Amino acid sequence: MPEAIHAGPATPARLLLIDRDGATAEALAAPLAAKLMAAEPLIVARNGRHAAELLKVGVFDVVLADLSSLGDLSTKADEAVSRIARLAPDALIVVFLDAASVSAALSTMRAGAHECVTKPVSGEALALKIGALALRLGRPRALGVDSGQMIGQTWMEDQVVHAAEPAAPVLPLWRQEQRIIEDAIRIYAGNITLAAAALELSPSTIYRKRQAWSEMSRGRGAA
């Protein structure tokens, strides 16, 4: 598996980190620069107001925001995130939460965040998450590439996943759907509500599909 997700010469992506804890920047800066395509060093804002000033005068491709560091923008978390989202309409916005909270994650995503992660998070894992988001949402600038360099699933397979490994066998459609859903549930530590929100499904749909898969598996085992 490749160590980085570089794809030839590219214009560096610009990343803004909003976090009052300087240790976060130190932990994330090197891994993100190594993994993302020619990413410039993180630009750090210690609070929401500082970030707003930076966003008014500069364009960023990725905004990483610690939710607790946005309190100076608004006492309501969703309003603070919404202000950042309005100032950075073309950026991928990832919000850091201090603890897993379904309500906090859902409200921040409704306010404009593209993803929520629970701290602490490794730079390597965060880089892959940004890569997956950029692919899914069609935001090549978040990776410092031109749109022609990021062509659907081919780009992801070549640059992020298992480019050096043999192609996996083709799975039936329901198996692929099952894998996607179960992977999302694992990413959110078993929280089906958060996984459903990320996949733009209702939790009841996931419960229904999992029940159907269980019945199919039992039927195959009995055959």
Side-chain angles (χ1 to χ4, degrees), residues 13-185:
R14 298 195 72 209
L15 283 72
L16 173 64
L17 171 67
I18 310 168
D19 200 316
R20 59 193 176 193
D21 181 6
T24 301
E26 294 178 6
L28 295 181
L32 286 178
K35 294 290 182 181
L36 293 180
M37 296 183 184
E40 293 180 338
L42 281 176
I43 296 175
V44 181
R46 297 299 185 188
N47 53 51
R49 293 186 187 278
H50 183 197
E53 293 172 0
L54 292 172
L55 289 169
K56 288 175 181 176
V57 298
V59 176
F60 292 87
D61 305 295
V62 181
V63 176
L64 310 170
D66 170 58
L67 188 61
S68 63
S69 299
L70 301 179
D72 60 324
L73 289 179
S74 174
T75 56
K76 296 182 178 179
D78 56 346
E79 290 184 2
V81 172
S82 180
R83 287 189 61 180
I84 294 297
R86 289 196 300 271
L87 289 168
D90 297 321
L92 287 181
I93 299 176
V94 179
V95 173
F96 298 154
L97 304 176
D98 289 326
S101 168
V102 175
S103 60
L106 291 178
S107 65
T108 55
M109 292 180 75
R110 283 195 294 265
H114 296 101
E115 185 66 280
C116 293
V117 297
T118 303
K119 295 176 71 175
V121 60
S122 72
E124 290 84 354
L126 185 59
L128 290 177
K129 187 177 290 291
I130 291 171
L133 279 172
L135 178 71
R136 178 162 60 88
L137 299 176
R139 304 288 183 90
R141 283 294 308 123
L143 295 172
V145 298
D146 298 323
S147 58
Q149 290 179 275
M150 192 171 87
I151 306 174
Q153 187 66 19
T154 300
W155 184 90
M156 176 61 87
E157 290 172 350
D158 287 345
Q159 305 302 330
V160 181
V161 193
H162 301 288
E165 299 178 6
V170 176
L171 296 174
L173 186 59
W174 73 270
R175 281 288 190 190
Q176 296 186 47
E177 180 184 55
Q178 181 185 34
R179 175 176 291 182
I180 290 170
I181 291 176
E182 295 298 344
D183 283 349
I185 293 172

